Amino acid sequence: MKQFALFFAALLCASLMAVSANATDYDDISVRVEAVTGDEYRVMIVNRSHAKSHLVTVEIYAGPYSNKANVVRRTIESAPSSAATVTMFKGGDIVAGAGVLIDGVDQRVATPIDLSRTNAWVRHSINRFQLLVSGDVETIGLMNAAAVDQGFKDSGGENDVSYLTYKSPMPEWSGNWLSYSGYDAVIISADELRLAPDVVSSALWRYVECGGSMVIIGDWEIPGQWRSRRVKSVEVEEEKSGVAWKKFSQPLPEAAQNYNVGFGNVTIIDAAGVKSILPEQWGAIKFGWKGSHTGGKAYRDIVDINKDFPVIERIGIPVRGLFVLMFMFVIVIGPINLIWLARRRRKIWMLWTVPAIALVTCLTVTGFALFSEGVSAMSRAESFTILDESSHRASTIGWMAFYAPLTPSEGLHFSYDTELTSVTPEVGYSFRRGGNRTIDLSNDQHLDSGWIMARVPVYFKYRKSETRRERLTIRQEGDGAISVVNVLGADIRELWLADRNGKVYSASRIRAGAEAKLSPSPLTLVENKAGLRELFTADDWLGKMKEVDANPQRFLAPGCYLAKLDASPFVEEGLKNVATRKGRALVYGISAPILEAGR
């Protein structure tokens, strides 16, 4: 016991020494906040008290016109003589420090944010492309090379790429894919990637599969399920006369191998040939990063958004009905009331008839609103999921919307693996209409205030990467007939499956857990190596999903299937007590057993 106590004391002392640098002391509690990457912050809390535990809340603030959260907070219970480290994510610009509350009491003195892990601070509003560069890549001087610098300039001769060098050793890199989601590309050496812990390399591949881009300098073998998705050129845009954009195909350098991996893109560049790449070829690599983080079309107003993704039939105030009601109210409370009271010689009754008529009118308006919409919320979600059965990873993108006649008290709940981007008509809309938006990360992503208001629909684009065991169990009989067992967790409305030779089979109406035989389909596969990447980088995700639904042969590849579901098991509900949930989901499955025709 004595040895154990000494070991524990030594461990606590080490934790105290690690936190002490750039930490702020609040009596028994020390708090240190450091930036891990552009969107992730690591919070280290030490409780020096030997007898008392404390509830410690750390708040990170963004600008008031942020399209994400204005306040992100996380609360942990700090046990006596303990040290703890937690992760926080934020969106938008931040202030220089983080607020701290201990046992509910605001400490007033903010703790500074340590930026020593990085050598620069990048913002998406400055440059078109934002990169995260590893220490090895910075050491070899690649980002300072003349060819790279020239290739990263736009048509006006201005450099449209900025980068953040992350010099921490690979074991200290983040194990959460959201830490990298704000960057257009991550540039890293193959040696660093080989030395990375499994949790870090998994996070980087999740980032790529959810739409990000990665450049690997050195020898690296792409996962087998993506080798057929190699592309040898990219579509480049060039501005002409400052007005129109001309598109043309730019070949990629021979020293580079480029693959579309999930929704993302990976470029592998031979270390010996990296300096032989010409500026225009670097420009082609750069344009392959386009659309690597969530963007989208601009909307004039909320009615415009609801036309693309309707969660309720109609948005707006019933002006005509309210005008008629107010006109009748004025007539009844005025002339009719006065004439009736004058005939009865009871004008003194106006002291109670006027309030009574006003009360009846208010109750009528309230009753009409409740009768027409009820009190229960509505939601809608559409998603596209890439289900890689060999790695058991599901990468999902899509839209969701919520509408509530009464403001929900619980807010919205999502997992830590989900990235949410609020779809609003313009910057600052959420601030003007709903006040501060806050997120509590104590137990999950709890969008607790300012996100959803009574009778105002709210819309999100989202990305998600998670480990899932759902699958489509495929069986091939001796006579060549193919049957499947639906283990996707939802009923399949339609299914298309391509064997290894590219022959397409189909079926419809397969209930969850049921088995069905597939029939040969007249569809013929069309080579489209950029298909899934093309879906993600499009401004109109909803339109692209409809295109996949209508033309599955353009997106299918041998050994893959496309299932259309009425509900998605890969999307969280978000809001409790929803009366009506509308949904549609497409699942692009990469089968673990690759089918061979006639086997």
Side-chain angles (χ1 to χ4, degrees), residues 177 210 394-396 415 417-418 462-466 570 572:
W177 79 271
C210 282
S395 306
T396 302
S415 72
D417 292 323
T418 304
Y462 64 91
R463 292 192 285 174
K464 186 177 183 181
S465 174
E466 57 184 343
F570 305 99
E572 297 146 296

Side-chain angles (χ1 to χ4, degrees), residues 24-31 45-48 54 56 102:
T24 304
D25 292 332
Y26 305 95
D27 295 328
D28 293 338
I29 299 295
S30 289
V31 178
I45 300 171
V46 171
N47 183 359
R48 291 183 293 271
H54 296 278
V56 182
I102 299 177

Side-chain angles (χ1 to χ4, degrees), residues 153-167:
K153 294 184 184 298
D154 60 19
S155 58
E158 298 293 330
N159 196 321
D160 63 350
V161 174
S162 64
Y163 68 95
L164 179 77
T165 300
Y166 191 46
K167 295 182 178 180

Side-chain angles (χ1 to χ4, degrees), residues 135-336:
D136 276 9
V137 174
E138 178 78 2
T139 300
I140 65 175
L142 177 63
M143 304 308 293
N144 300 320
V148 176
D149 182 64
Q150 187 63 33
F152 285 173
K153 294 184 184 298
D154 60 19
S155 58
E158 298 293 330
N159 196 321
D160 63 350
V161 174
S162 64
Y163 68 95
L164 179 77
T165 300
Y166 191 46
K167 295 182 178 180
S168 294
M170 290 306 300
E172 296 183 18
W173 280 46
S174 175
N176 192 309
W177 79 271
L178 288 173
S179 184
Y180 312 101
S181 65
Y183 296 97
D184 296 282
V186 174
I187 304 182
I188 190 172
S189 73
D191 290 338
E192 287 175 309
L193 197 53
R194 271 187 281 271
L195 293 173
D198 290 343
V199 65
V200 174
S201 60
S202 175
L204 287 169
W205 284 106
R206 288 174 185 269
Y207 154 73
V208 170
E209 291 167 352
C210 282
S213 295
M214 186 160 59
V215 178
I216 303 172
I217 309 298
D219 184 33
W220 188 267
E221 189 172 344
I222 208 76
Q225 61 269 37
W226 303 114
R227 289 173 194 161
S228 63
R229 295 282 184 171
R230 183 177 179 181
V231 293
K232 297 185 178 181
S233 63
V234 297
E235 196 173 67
V236 177
E237 292 179 341
E238 184 180 21
E239 190 176 12
K240 294 293 184 181
S241 304
V243 179
W245 291 86
K246 179 182 178 182
K247 293 184 178 181
F248 62 94
S249 182
Q250 172 69 49
L252 290 162
E254 292 184 4
Q257 301 176 46
N258 191 282
Y259 299 88
N260 287 324
V261 175
F263 294 115
N265 177 272
V266 174
T267 303
I268 302 171
I269 303 177
D270 177 60
V274 67
K275 294 186 178 179
S276 66
I277 298 177
L278 301 175
E280 58 268 20
Q281 293 172 328
W282 277 113
I285 293 172
K286 176 188 73 173
F287 272 96
W289 305 332
K290 184 181 177 183
S292 290
H293 57 85
T294 307
K297 61 189 291 187
Y299 292 96
R300 299 187 304 273
D301 51 42
I302 202 166
V303 176
D304 198 19
I305 302 174
N306 199 63
K307 287 179 181 177
D308 269 6
F309 194 66
V311 64
I312 57 173
E313 292 184 3
R314 182 178 178 181
I315 296 178
I317 300 173
V319 178
R320 183 178 300 177
L322 286 177
F323 175 79
V324 172
L325 181 63
M326 293 304 298
F327 182 78
M328 292 177 62
F329 169 71
V330 171
I331 295 298
V332 171
I333 204 170
I336 293 178

Side-chain angles (χ1 to χ4, degrees), residues 314-573:
R314 182 178 178 181
I315 296 178
I317 300 173
V319 178
R320 183 178 300 177
L322 286 177
F323 175 79
V324 172
L325 181 63
M326 293 304 298
F327 182 78
M328 292 177 62
F329 169 71
V330 171
I331 295 298
V332 171
I333 204 170
I336 293 178
N337 188 32
L338 287 172
I339 293 171
W340 181 70
L341 293 176
R343 287 181 178 179
R344 296 181 63 89
R345 297 180 181 180
R346 294 288 191 274
K347 290 186 178 180
I348 192 64
W349 286 6
M350 288 185 65
L351 295 176
W352 66 266
T353 57
V354 170
I357 295 171
L359 177 61
V360 170
T361 303
C362 291
L363 291 175
T364 301
V365 173
T366 304
F368 174 77
L370 292 177
F371 178 78
S372 61
E373 294 186 342
V375 296
S376 299
M378 295 178 284
S379 70
R380 181 182 177 189
E382 292 199 8
S383 64
F384 190 101
T385 299
I386 300 176
L387 180 60
D388 188 346
E389 295 182 2
S390 59
S391 65
H392 304 292
R393 283 204 294 264
S395 306
T396 302
I397 66 172
W399 275 57
M400 62 176 61
F402 303 94
Y403 179 83
L406 303 175
T407 301
S409 59
E410 272 293 307
L412 305 170
H413 290 267
F414 299 93
S415 72
Y416 291 129
D417 292 323
T418 304
E419 179 195 64
L420 297 164
T421 302
S422 182
V423 181
T424 56
E426 55 185 339
V427 176
Y429 172 86
S430 59
F431 172 78
R432 293 196 300 271
R433 295 294 300 272
N436 280 339
R437 292 179 164 185
T438 63
I439 297 180
D440 192 323
L441 298 174
S442 302
N443 300 307
D444 58 4
Q445 280 197 81
H446 180 197
L447 283 61
D448 55 354
S449 65
W451 295 91
I452 180 167
M453 298 167 286
R455 303 176 67 82
V456 179
V458 58
Y459 306 86
F460 296 96
K461 294 179 76 171
Y462 64 91
R463 292 192 285 174
K464 186 177 183 181
S465 174
E466 57 184 343
T467 300
R468 300 295 291 251
R469 296 290 175 175
E470 287 87 348
R471 60 188 295 114
L472 195 69
T473 302
I474 304 169
R475 299 173 181 169
Q476 192 163 25
E477 309 297 337
D479 58 358
I482 296 175
S483 63
V484 298
V485 178
N486 176 12
V487 199
L488 292 177
D491 295 349
I492 296 177
R493 185 190 299 179
E494 289 186 80
L495 172 69
W496 298 273
L497 182 146
D499 67 16
R500 188 171 182 178
N501 292 336
K503 186 176 181 180
V504 180
Y505 298 82
S506 64
S508 59
R509 301 297 175 186
I510 309 175
R511 298 185 65 84
E515 183 174 1
K517 287 189 176 182
L518 305 187
S519 303
S521 170
L523 299 178
T524 303
L525 295 188
V526 177
E527 186 177 20
N528 181 15
K529 295 181 179 179
L532 302 179
R533 176 67 173 170
E534 171 191 325
L535 187 150
F536 178 79
T537 57
D539 288 338
D540 184 11
W541 283 3
L542 299 171
K544 272 294 180 181
M545 283 192 275
K546 291 178 181 177
E547 184 179 332
V548 175
D549 188 358
N551 302 283
Q553 71 277 11
R554 287 195 59 242
F555 297 88
L556 274 174
C560 301
Y561 61 85
L562 184 67
K564 182 162 65 173
L565 313 177
D566 289 327
S568 176
F570 305 99
V571 178
E572 297 146 296
E573 292 183 351

